[in-house]
Amino acid sequence: MKISARNVLTGKIVDVKKGATTAHVQIDLGGSIITASITNEAVDALKLVSGMTASAVIKASDVMVAVE
Amino acid sequence: MKISARNVLTGKIVDVKKGATTAHVQIDLGGSIITASITNEAVDALKLVSGMTASAVIKASDVMVAVE
Amino acid sequence: MKISARNVLTGKIVDVKKGATTAHVQIDLGGSIITASITNEAVDALKLVSGMTASAVIKASDVMVAVE
Amino acid sequence: MKISARNVLTGKIVDVKKGATTAHVQIDLGGSIITASITNEAVDALKLVSGMTASAVIKASDVMVAVE
Amino acid sequence: MKISARNVLTGKIVDVKKGATTAHVQIDLGGSIITASITNEAVDALKLVSGMTASAVIKASDVMVAVE
Amino acid sequence: MKISARNVLTGKIVDVKKGATTAHVQIDLGGSIITASITNEAVDALKLVSGMTASAVIKASDVMVAVE
């Protein structure tokens, strides 16, 4: 599958924390950590566990820019 | 200002392309490029130009996870 | 690639309209039409044209519910 | 009320699962199921229960496109 | 129509600027101005013009919090 | 830090409710209440409590427009 989302950043999962319905998955991109808030169902469907190679996928319209 | 968004990835702006109302800003994160789709007004207000240090800011609920 | 986004609705592209930076793609899901607002770059990268089979992909946290 | 969101897909609610703060609502669109992640407060305010007719409402800028 | 989005802020439209595909609509909430980036099609469908009473509708998961 | 998000509405926090992973924060904007759904981690990092001055920050592409 190829997707229109312009941002695909690949790293290694370092934490998966399931809540009541919503899970937080942290991916180490080689120094910086990115946090994804996804459904518990997605964690189960993709069998996400620490140590797996995974990508953070982000639509360009969901990215803001900040400067000092 | 401190913001609740969990993901702040800092790099250097490598491209700013304004459209009729929407601009695309590309930030080099040290190898990978991230694209932000923001308003032309924001580009003007923050005086975004290529070469500036800038951060991509992303709310955790806007990050998806993909695996091969 | 498998993605955490829970909603993948497959149909046929019926319209692709590129703007200055942002494109609108319409997918016929078999009666109802869904509109996606994506970057021109994504349209080019995926070579999206009318008549192609394509899926609308939507993160669960971007879906609202309405009732009469 | 008329809303700018371009995508309104109507079906029947088949599941409502409340978590600690976030609920998942599934709507059967006549074959395909769409999942919405919304607040528990919204579930209560709209009195959402299985069997109700309801619509999934999605802003065009939150829809991605994928192809094989 | 009642919608699950928790935030509905009502004011008066003070600017509508259409681009090639994306429009910016500004609503005066009684002092502060809120900007919405929506499709040109939505502007046409809702006949949005300056002076109209209108509401900004925002899903709770799209709101961030910032402190000094 | 200056951010591209066009909408920054300042008020006072009137409620913070943490769930298993996701928290709801309510900000009184001087009459109207806005609800933000953010991570528990963000609540801790920003030390958000009732009575604090805080701003709701919203990207323009996440704002819809509704009319009667």
Side-chain angles (χ1 to χ4, degrees), chain B:
Chain B
M1 187 178 79
K2 293 195 295 182
I3 196 160
S4 61
R6 291 300 80 200
N7 302 301
V8 179
L9 304 169
T10 301
K12 196 175 287 290
I13 296 176
V14 290
D15 193 50
V16 177
K17 179 184 179 186
K18 290 171 80 171
T21 53
T22 306
H24 292 173
V25 177
Q26 293 192 313
I27 301 175
D28 185 334
L29 299 176
S32 55
I33 303 284
I34 197 161
T35 301
S37 175
I38 64 177
T39 61
N40 284 350
E41 285 75 11
V43 169
D44 294 343
L46 274 63
K47 298 180 171 53
L48 301 178
V49 292
S50 290
M52 279 178 78
T53 296
S55 300
V57 179
I58 308 149
K59 196 173 188 304
S61 55
D62 287 326
V63 181
M64 292 163 285
V65 178
V67 294
E68 289 302 320

Side-chain angles (χ1 to χ4, degrees), chain A residues 1-4 6 37-39 41-42 45-46 57 59-60, chain C residues 1-4 6 37-39 41-42 45-46 57 59-60:
Chain A
M1 188 177 78
K2 292 195 295 180
I3 197 160
S4 61
R6 290 300 79 200
S37 175
I38 63 177
T39 61
E41 286 74 13
L46 274 63
V57 178
K59 197 173 187 304
Chain C
M1 188 178 79
K2 292 195 295 180
I3 196 160
S4 61
R6 291 299 79 199
S37 175
I38 64 177
T39 61
E41 286 74 12
L46 274 63
V57 179
K59 197 173 186 304

Side-chain angles (χ1 to χ4, degrees), chain D residues 10 18 20 26 28 32-33 38 40 43 50 52-53 55 58:
Chain D
T10 302
K18 290 170 82 170
Q26 292 192 312
D28 185 334
S32 54
I33 302 286
I38 63 176
N40 285 350
V43 169
S50 290
M52 278 177 78
T53 295
S55 300
I58 308 150

Side-chain angles (χ1 to χ4, degrees), chain D:
Chain D
M1 188 178 77
K2 292 194 296 181
I3 197 160
S4 60
R6 290 300 80 200
N7 302 301
V8 180
L9 303 170
T10 302
K12 194 175 288 289
I13 296 177
V14 289
D15 193 50
V16 177
K17 180 184 179 186
K18 290 170 82 170
T21 51
T22 307
H24 291 173
V25 177
Q26 292 192 312
I27 301 174
D28 185 334
L29 299 176
S32 54
I33 302 286
I34 197 160
T35 300
S37 175
I38 63 176
T39 61
N40 285 350
E41 286 74 12
V43 169
D44 294 342
L46 274 63
K47 299 181 171 53
L48 301 178
V49 292
S50 290
M52 278 177 78
T53 295
S55 300
V57 178
I58 308 150
K59 196 173 187 301
S61 56
D62 288 324
V63 181
M64 292 163 285
V65 178
V67 293
E68 289 302 319

Side-chain angles (χ1 to χ4, degrees), chain F residues 30-51:
Chain F
S32 54
I33 303 286
I34 197 161
T35 301
S37 175
I38 64 177
T39 62
N40 285 351
E41 287 74 13
V43 170
D44 294 342
L46 274 63
K47 299 181 171 52
L48 301 178
V49 293
S50 290

